[in-house]
Amino acid sequence: MAGGIEAGGGGGVEAQMRWAFIRKVYAIVSLQLLVCTAVSAAMFFTPAVKTFMATTSGLIVLIAVFIVTFIILIAMKIWEQTHPWNYVLLGLFTIALAFMVGVVCTYKKGMPIMLAAGVTALVFVVLTLYTFWATKRGYDFSFLGPILISALMVLILFSLIKLFLHLGSIIQLICGAIGALIFSGFIIYDTYNLIQKYSYDEYVDAACCLFLDIINLFLAILEILGVSDWN
């Protein structure tokens, strides 16, 4: 593991290399978000796509893409430091995840999507700035890892139960709120790791973690807004 930025924020070769690594990660995440936005918008504004995704064939395609995305994620972990395959897999992963986000958006209306995107951007910026500020002052967020993983497992289990039992809008609101809290915590945790823990050749892993945090936070907020009369 490479050393992080020192609490005092001093200069030196180590700090310069860490800042270069951080800029590279955020550049990758920005590109991923741009691709995700473009794919989701194209799907949302194409009536034929909305119609197809509402069919059984559309559901089969979605399940297939989900499985492929999971396989790509495993492959990325294996070849995350093998150039250029790490970039190829990163691109495929981004497009696949963008497709799944686009599918979710096809079932929503424009206003909640825009609000969810705006709130997600605001929360991400605020939490990122807070984490940089707190880490510079010596705060350690590494303890969040086991807590967040455990909470995520419970949320996934509860979401599966909700999916099959159709427990109603109140449960949907609770799941969305808990999910938003969990992925907000992941943003803090993964940003802390970006600053302090990741080695300089783990930029693909770091970018994917932050990208997944942002996407999942967006989906959680969108689920909260889905309780409203917009849908």
Side-chain angles (χ1 to χ4, degrees):
M1 293 290 183
I5 299 173
E6 295 180 356
V13 175
E14 178 66 27
Q16 292 176 9
M17 292 177 64
R18 176 58 58 174
W19 280 116
F21 169 73
I22 291 173
R23 287 194 295 269
K24 184 173 185 177
V25 170
Y26 280 119
I28 294 173
V29 172
S30 298
L31 184 58
Q32 287 179 292
L33 292 173
L34 182 62
V35 171
C36 187
T37 301
V39 172
S40 299
M43 295 178 66
F44 179 81
F45 289 110
T46 305
V49 173
K50 289 187 174 183
T51 302
F52 175 75
M53 294 312 305
T55 65
T56 303
S57 297
L59 178 60
I60 293 174
V61 170
L62 178 60
I63 294 174
V65 172
F66 177 81
I67 295 173
V68 169
T69 304
F70 185 73
I71 294 173
I72 293 173
L73 193 60
I74 295 175
M76 285 175 58
K77 194 63 181 177
I78 297 174
W79 290 293
E80 65 177 337
Q81 298 178 21
T82 304
H83 185 78
W85 292 111
N86 53 353
Y87 282 113
V88 173
L89 292 169
L90 179 65
L92 293 174
F93 172 77
T94 301
I95 294 172
L97 195 61
F99 174 82
M100 288 193 288
V101 173
V103 171
V104 174
C105 290
T106 60
Y107 297 109
K108 305 293 181 179
K109 293 186 178 180
M111 184 57 70
I113 294 174
M114 292 176 61
L115 283 174
V119 172
T120 300
L122 179 61
V123 171
F124 177 73
V125 170
V126 170
L127 292 179
T128 298
L129 292 176
Y130 165 74
T131 307
F132 272 85
W133 174 86
T135 302
K136 186 176 180 180
R137 282 156 181 77
Y139 287 83
D140 187 347
F141 295 105
S142 58
F143 71 93
L144 287 176
I147 298 174
L148 291 171
I149 293 296
S150 300
L152 181 59
M153 294 299 102
V154 173
L155 179 64
I156 292 173
L157 179 61
F158 200 76
S159 297
L160 289 174
I161 295 174
K162 177 177 69 72
L163 180 65
F164 289 104
L165 297 183
H166 304 288
L167 298 178
S169 59
I170 300 300
I171 300 300
Q172 178 181 340
L173 179 63
I174 293 173
C175 281
I178 294 175
L181 288 174
I182 290 173
F183 293 113
S184 294
F186 269 114
I187 288 174
I188 294 175
Y189 176 70
D190 288 327
T191 301
Y192 172 78
N193 287 337
L194 175 67
I195 299 170
Q196 293 289 98
K197 300 295 183 180
Y198 280 113
S199 62
Y200 301 135
D201 55 359
E202 291 182 306
Y203 48 87
V204 170
D205 189 26
C208 280
C209 285
L210 283 175
F211 180 57
L212 282 170
D213 295 342
I214 296 169
I215 294 302
N216 282 305
L217 177 60
F218 166 76
L219 295 176
I221 294 173
L222 192 59
E223 184 174 11
I224 294 173
L225 296 176
V227 178
S228 71
D229 293 330
W230 277 318
N231 291 300

